[in-house]
Amino acid sequence: MAISVDTVYKTVLLILNKEQRGYMTPDEFNKIGSQVQREIFEAYFEDLNQQLRVPQSDMDYANRVAITDEKIAEFKTENVQANPVDEKTIAGTNPFTVPSELYRLGSFTYEPTGGMPVEIQRTTRGEYYNISKSPLTKPSTSFPIYLYEDNKVIVYPNTINDAADIKMQYLKKPTDIRWGYYPGSLGQLIHDTTVFGANLLNVGSGTLTSSANTTGLTANDTTSPIALTQGAASTGNFALTPVSAPGGTGLEISVSVSSNVFTVNITAGGTGYVVGDILAIPPTAIPGLSGQIVITLTAANFNSGSTYGTTNFELHNSERTEVILKTLLYQGVVIRDPQIVQVAAQRVQQEEVNEKS
């Protein structure tokens, strides 16, 4: 179970505000939070190595090897072949490019259609040369081997050439955290709970107003927002016409008019839209509209070009206290407050001693 990035951020702000130690901006928090997550994640492997060298209790919830492995399990995954651009994809033909999110490689298997899965043995260059010399030991589809070099996997025999037959179990890198937000009517920052996606359209108030060309257009005031959906018009729901949006579908917007000021909001982002796509609101959709409103999607309309979209901590939920303390420690460094650094460092050290002693 992931740790809510919103809970951590608000807790950190509460502590800083209570102690009158200043403010932590969302951008500072996102950078520090990502560093803290990576630091905690990388410490798991040393912790596991340390605990393997000492006797363990076989009582439930007290075996520290099992507890550490449970924390690491949050990052255990397997590659997929469904999407050719997915970060979990093994790309190309032999030699194969490993998934971009890979941190440490686990097992590697050859699973041909209709055949039994076979684990592929990892070897070094020297071992490969020696193994290949003998007809009895050279690699075959029943006993394949692989080399892992330069972020590529070379499988032998080279007749294994279809990435769809390859499965890789590995630890993935922690994704950088992100506290997404948008400005409220009073200038306050409102948390955006939508899960971040670089190509997702921002959903919320005023998200398309700056991208809609309403210059010179007039319309009657509306008592309630007018809904539009890309596709065929239905009762009470007008059609949003794609002018140039070949891959996009499912976009839903609402339009309000007050004293001839247009507010255009995205209510459902749909999928498949890219920067530069053009859509139009027909004159028939809004009473008194003197011409069509043309909407051109810009980078600022997508999560990747804005502050919208949230990514939670991927760490085990038991790490929430550690995350908050380490974030405070780093913030103490940022604002040059030795007292915060000292108190947070002592608490972090005590937490680690309690876990390992």
Side-chain angles (χ1 to χ4, degrees), residues 73-89:
E74 300 280 339
F75 301 92
K76 293 179 181 180
T77 189
E78 185 177 63
N79 69 289
V80 296
Q81 300 296 339
N83 186 344
V85 296
D86 193 286
E87 62 179 0
K88 290 187 174 185
T89 300

Side-chain angles (χ1 to χ4, degrees), residues 194-203 269-271 273 301-304 306:
T194 305
V195 177
F196 173 80
N199 298 319
L200 290 181
L201 282 166
N202 304 328
V203 176
T271 58
Y273 295 94
N301 298 134
F302 294 83
N303 282 188
S304 58
S306 67

Side-chain angles (χ1 to χ4, degrees), residues 142-221:
S142 298
F143 299 97
I145 63 174
Y146 75 95
L147 304 176
Y148 180 34
E149 300 172 345
D150 191 27
N151 290 325
K152 294 184 182 298
V153 169
I154 309 170
V155 180
Y156 297 98
N158 54 20
T159 52
I160 300 176
N161 204 36
D162 189 351
D165 294 338
I166 299 295
K167 284 291 183 182
M168 178 184 291
Q169 296 77 38
Y170 60 94
L171 290 178
K172 68 184 187 68
K173 304 171 187 174
T175 305
D176 287 348
I177 64 104
R178 178 183 173 103
W179 188 78
Y181 66 93
Y182 55 91
S185 58
L186 301 176
Q188 77 276 30
L189 303 184
I190 301 175
H191 178 50
D192 179 24
T193 58
T194 305
V195 177
F196 173 80
N199 298 319
L200 290 181
L201 282 166
N202 304 328
V203 176
S205 177
T207 45
L208 281 180
T209 298
S210 61
S211 302
N213 186 359
T214 59
T215 304
L217 300 180
T218 59
N220 297 336
D221 288 357

Side-chain angles (χ1 to χ4, degrees), residues 216-252:
L217 300 180
T218 59
N220 297 336
D221 288 357
T222 56
T223 55
S224 60
I226 296 172
L228 298 98
T229 304
Q230 182 178 330
S234 59
T235 304
N237 191 7
F238 294 89
L240 181 66
T241 307
V243 177
S244 174
T249 182
L251 176 63
E252 298 178 9

Side-chain angles (χ1 to χ4, degrees), residues 2 11 17 33 58 67 70 81 84 94 118 132 143 160 172 175 181 184 193 260 263 294 331 353-354:
T11 303
N17 183 59
D58 54 5
I67 291 171
E70 183 179 333
Q81 300 296 339
N94 198 2
V118 178
S132 301
F143 299 97
I160 300 176
K172 68 184 187 68
T175 305
Y181 66 93
T193 58
N260 218 42
T263 301
V294 177
Q331 180 61 7
V353 169
N354 290 342

